[in-house]
Amino acid sequence: MRMLLVTAGSRGDVEPFAVLARRIQGAGHAVRLALPDNSGVDVTGLDVTALGVDYSTLIQQQGVSFAAVLRSYRTVVRPAMHEVLIGSVRAALDYAPDVLVAHPKILSAPLIADGLGIPFVWVEMVPAVTPTAEFPAAGTVTRNLGPFNRLTYGAAAGGAAMFRQDLKEAARLVGAQGAAPRASATLMPISPAILQRPADWPPTVHLTGPWRGGAPEPVPREVSDFIAEGDFVYAGFGSMVAGDPVARAREVIRGIRATGARALVATGLGGLSVPSDVTGTDALVTRSVAHDVVLPRAAAAVHHGGIGTVQAATAAGTVSVVVPFIADQPFWGSRLNARGLGPAPIRRRALTSARLAAALSRVDQYRPAVRDAARSMAAEDGPAAALAVLETVGR
């Protein structure tokens, strides 16, 4: 079987696809991964093709706020999405897959499936497309709206309207003729230990568990020495370029210090920028860390609440203190708190050293539940569960 996997976005949108591609390849299937440029993900040994969009550079230049997206819609967002939508079509025409597996940002996926006469599968990284009455769509509101929760899932349909002309071009290129087909299945690489499966999801939706795997990233000597000394809190906001990263780093380090712990700070693409007035022997600053090595040793993890980091911390048995910025992050912060897996999230604009210290002082009460969740996640094999679905779809 030939499978084409297509994804778009930052590293968190790419890495799970690379893990799945390796599992598919290991099972003896042919697989190609279409992905953004310079994602930072190790794709050694995989058959890959580039979509021609560098999300890391876009994030560093534009930031991640909704206002920044609106300001740059015509000059940056629209051209980037055009490349993604048309690049996905070209990748499919070139590879001629038997099955298409696509991130929801690949709005042209149903058209590709129609034009090539093949099944396609959505990979819903966060629950924002498949409606449920149990909670609102991630990235909309965090308050439970009861029976009106289903209405929040209409927000995803707005994307198709924004890029209508690009989708018409994609349809012409691939030869799509009729109404776009429905997905044969939806895969969600999310652990049931973090998100309980809603009773009203259709049976074609599969909560597989996270897609993790591959060799651990190398750890610099200074980082390994630092974590070996114990008693530290990890802090990192990845690609969250918004607000004042210097002031934010100052509050984070001071908040960690107030608890008597040392701070391991990952600056990422600019989420944190550590000023000289808060540096010291009790604070190590690095660009990024290997979560699978660092998080199991951390007393707590202070982060933005992206699903990748949420699952990495929980699988490590480490309590998360979430400081959400955008999109699905407030959803995950609220989910963790509602399930007794972490303190209430701290809004980005409300982050102070005092609030962070107060949250960190409460992490011990959540540790037993997080360790239980970690034991449950250790028994999950998300890529295997996803592959089993794909092999059924492709028959």
Side-chain angles (χ1 to χ4, degrees):
M1 192 186 311
R2 293 169 67 81
M3 302 190 203
L4 177 64
L5 278 55
V6 190
T7 186
S10 59
R11 179 169 184 157
D13 297 295
V14 177
E15 200 151 30
F17 275 78
V19 170
L20 180 59
R22 284 201 167 86
R23 181 61 64 93
I24 293 169
Q25 184 174 266
H29 300 291
V31 59
R32 177 173 291 176
L33 174 60
L35 75 170
D37 300 346
N38 302 319
S39 67
V41 175
D42 179 12
V43 292
T44 305
L46 294 176
D47 178 4
V48 301
T49 185
L51 293 176
V53 177
D54 185 341
Y55 280 91
S56 296
T57 298
L58 291 180
I59 289 169
Q60 287 178 306
Q61 292 175 346
Q62 304 293 320
V64 296
S65 70
F66 184 66
V69 171
L70 290 178
R71 285 196 303 268
S72 62
Y73 171 73
R74 292 184 180 277
T75 58
V76 177
V77 176
R78 174 76 186 276
M81 276 300 290
H82 180 272
E83 290 298 318
V84 167
L85 300 180
I86 303 305
S88 301
V89 169
R90 290 176 176 145
L93 290 172
D94 178 63
Y95 192 62
D98 300 310
V99 178
L100 173 65
V101 183
H103 190 291
K105 287 185 179 130
I106 312 302
L107 301 172
S108 50
L111 302 173
I112 294 170
D114 181 30
L116 298 185
I118 60 173
F120 83 99
V121 173
W122 285 129
V123 175
E124 206 169 328
M125 307 295 289
V126 299
V129 178
T130 302
T132 176
E134 294 192 16
F135 49 75
T140 56
V141 297
T142 55
R143 186 166 61 91
N144 193 321
L145 303 176
F148 297 105
N149 283 332
R150 281 182 165 272
L151 299 178
T152 64
Y153 290 83
M162 291 175 65
F163 304 104
R164 185 180 295 110
Q165 293 305 314
D166 306 278
L167 291 171
K168 285 183 179 179
E169 182 180 345
R172 286 195 301 270
L173 281 174
V174 78
Q177 298 296 322
R182 290 180 177 272
S184 297
T186 295
L187 302 175
M188 293 194 190
I190 304 167
S191 172
I194 293 172
L195 182 73
Q196 186 172 5
R197 191 185 199 282
D200 58 353
W201 273 355
T204 52
V205 177
H206 304 271
L207 204 63
T208 67
W211 299 348
R212 295 176 290 146
E217 295 179 31
V219 178
R221 179 63 180 274
E222 61 178 0
V223 174
S224 61
D225 288 347
F226 187 87
I227 65 177
E229 295 176 18
D231 192 28
F232 73 94
V233 171
Y234 165 77
F237 297 113
S239 58
M240 295 300 102
V241 182
D244 186 344
V246 174
R248 186 158 53 243
R250 184 177 287 114
E251 295 299 323
V252 166
I253 292 178
R254 287 175 175 169
I256 294 171
R257 274 194 181 126
T259 68
R262 298 174 306 137
L264 175 57
V265 178
T267 58
L269 292 180
L272 292 169
S273 180
V274 180
S276 58
D277 62 311
V278 292
T279 57
T281 57
D282 63 344
L284 178 64
V285 180
T286 185
R287 181 176 172 83
S288 63
V289 300
H291 283 165
D292 55 346
V293 176
V294 169
L295 292 179
R297 308 285 293 274
V302 181
H303 58 88
H304 54 298
I307 183 56
T309 312
V310 164
Q311 295 199 117
T314 307
T318 304
V319 179
S320 293
V321 177
V322 174
V323 182
F325 285 61
I326 59 167
D328 59 304
Q329 296 162 11
F331 175 87
W332 294 116
S334 297
R335 286 283 107 188
L336 290 178
N337 182 240
R339 300 203 70 174
L341 297 172
I346 303 171
R347 291 184 300 108
R348 173 176 68 87
R349 295 181 185 277
L351 176 64
T352 63
S353 58
R355 286 192 176 97
L356 179 56
L360 289 171
S361 71
R362 296 192 298 272
V363 297
D364 283 345
Q365 72 186 72
Y366 301 101
R367 210 175 301 283
V370 172
R371 287 175 175 163
D372 285 345
R375 282 190 287 271
S376 176
M377 293 179 74
E380 298 170 356
D381 189 341
L387 176 59
V389 174
L390 294 176
E391 288 178 330
T392 300
V393 167
R395 287 176 185 166

